[in-house]
Amino acid sequence: MSTTVAAGPAAEGDSPAPKKRRRRWFAWTVVALLALWAVIRVAGMEGGSFPTQLMTVTPIGAGLAALTAILSLLRRNRPAALAAALVCAVLVSVVTPRAFSAEQPPAKGAPLRVLTVNLFGRGDAQTVVDLVRRFDVEVFSALELTPAEVERLDAAGMKQLLPHRVLQAEFGATGSGIFSKHPVTELTGLFTPIGHNMPAATVALPGGGKVEFVAVHPNPPLGRKEAEWKASLRALPPASPSAIRVLAGDFNASLDHRAFRDLLDRGYVDAADQVGKGLVATWPNGRGIPPIISIDHVLADRRVAVNRVEIVDVPRTDHRGVFAELRLP
């Protein structure tokens, strides 16, 4: 005679099913990685190529943390949901201020309208000239500027609009240039460029004012170039009590990079950040996906007020341009 023993409530309360364990393990792994991301970002501990590149998409990391919290809650993994929510709160706290305008200094000097575009050697010249005309640009920082692109720009009307220039155009990605509505004098010895060409000039403004202007374009922090990228940002000139300086270009850096924030701490503000547009991405553009990172910037002396910033599209280049209307002290 055989006897069948039914599983009781105790048996049902044993360890979770393998599938459920895998889900919990996966959720906690994601939370741990996001928490590490948050710690590195807040402490400015990024080092090496991959962590440095990862910091650029920190706003996306905040979204991933929020999604992880929601999914964990739906799967009744409340501890993981709470941990992910805390990580999300930390990441949100460092990125959301860029969506709000900052207090401006009481600058009452001359206006200065600046445009910067990484032309990728082939950006649509007519679009660039139309932007210069539309925004009444006074200084244009051109990156990845080739001799052929200079010719195309001038043929489209740049020579008439911005006749003064300090150009270091070259074939490939290394060329850069400064085009100006007002007379310019090349500045040598201001700093030692590391990476691409980075011309500097003194712009003589109407009424006797002057601005020192640098077209910025370090190499990206890819592979072994990460250390060079940091050195390049460190080499840029700090703000000066005796001169108003503006740095504009493709920094290959975002506000989530410690090296870039260190540069700001040397006396600058990011124009887009000042007017609540610091989260508007500039790269990559025109590649079938929307831009996801903000690496093109106009930096100005902290004494300068930022009245307006526009992020603009230029066909045939993978960067969006940045226009900034500044008010000098």
Side-chain angles (χ1 to χ4, degrees):
M1 181 176 182
S2 61
T3 304
T4 301
V5 180
E12 294 177 357
D14 288 344
S15 59
K19 187 176 180 181
K20 188 173 183 180
R21 287 201 302 269
R22 285 196 298 271
R23 285 179 177 177
R24 287 183 176 271
W25 177 88
F26 179 75
W28 278 110
T29 300
V30 172
V31 170
L33 291 174
L34 289 169
L36 179 61
W37 186 344
V39 169
I40 293 173
R41 167 57 183 88
V42 172
M45 295 167 54
E46 68 263 23
S49 180
F50 178 73
T52 299
Q53 294 174 63
L54 183 64
M55 290 304 105
T56 317
V57 291
T58 294
I60 295 176
L64 290 175
L67 180 61
T68 301
I70 293 170
L71 291 177
S72 296
L73 190 60
L74 291 175
R75 290 173 177 172
R76 299 182 180 181
N77 188 350
R78 293 182 180 178
L82 177 59
L86 291 174
V87 172
C88 178
V90 171
L91 292 176
V92 165
S93 72
V94 298
V95 301
T96 52
R98 299 170 213 172
F100 301 93
S101 297
E103 184 177 353
Q104 300 284 342
K108 298 181 179 179
L112 182 68
R113 292 172 291 276
V114 174
L115 175 69
T116 180
V117 182
N118 183 325
L119 295 166
F120 200 43
R122 61 186 188 188
D124 185 71
Q126 190 60 61
T127 298
V128 174
V129 171
D130 289 345
L131 289 169
V132 169
R133 185 179 290 111
R134 176 174 136 206
F135 291 124
D136 192 17
V137 170
E138 294 170 272
V139 188
F140 170 44
S141 172
L143 300 317
E144 297 197 26
L145 179 70
T146 64
E149 186 73 353
V150 175
E151 292 180 3
R152 288 191 289 268
L153 288 167
D154 282 344
M158 186 71 82
K159 190 69 173 179
Q160 290 72 41
L161 295 172
L162 304 179
H164 308 281
R165 64 261 317 257
V166 175
L167 304 183
Q168 295 176 6
E170 288 186 6
F171 297 101
T174 57
S176 302
I178 297 171
F179 297 78
S180 175
K181 183 177 182 179
H182 312 297
V184 296
T185 303
E186 184 172 9
L187 263 176
T188 57
L190 181 63
F191 72 108
T192 301
I194 301 173
H196 302 111
N197 294 341
M198 295 192 232
T202 298
V203 181
L205 302 175
K210 293 182 178 181
V211 170
E212 294 182 355
F213 194 94
V214 181
V216 178
H217 192 201
N219 278 314
L222 301 176
R224 296 179 180 179
K225 289 184 178 180
E226 183 263 343
E228 177 195 292
W229 167 81
K230 284 183 178 178
S232 182
L233 294 180
R234 285 196 302 267
L236 290 170
S240 169
S242 60
I244 300 299
R245 288 180 180 153
V246 175
L247 316 180
D250 171 10
F251 289 73
N252 277 308
S254 79
L255 287 159
D256 290 302
H257 285 126
R258 173 68 176 271
F260 188 72
R261 296 195 302 275
D262 286 346
L263 174 59
L264 293 176
D265 288 342
R266 288 155 56 198
Y268 296 104
V269 293
D270 179 271
D273 184 43
Q274 287 292 99
V275 297
K277 293 188 176 180
L279 289 175
V280 181
T282 64
W283 187 91
N285 198 32
R287 291 190 176 181
I289 61 172
I292 57 174
I293 60 177
S294 304
I295 57 176
D296 301 271
H297 308 272
V298 174
L299 305 190
D301 185 299
R302 286 177 182 169
R303 296 168 291 177
V304 172
V306 182
N307 293 338
R308 177 187 179 192
V309 168
E310 299 293 340
I311 311 300
V312 297
D313 290 312
V314 177
R316 302 187 65 196
T317 173
D318 59 348
H319 287 256
R320 304 181 78 191
V322 180
F323 165 76
E325 181 180 304
L326 311 176
R327 176 69 66 176
L328 304 182

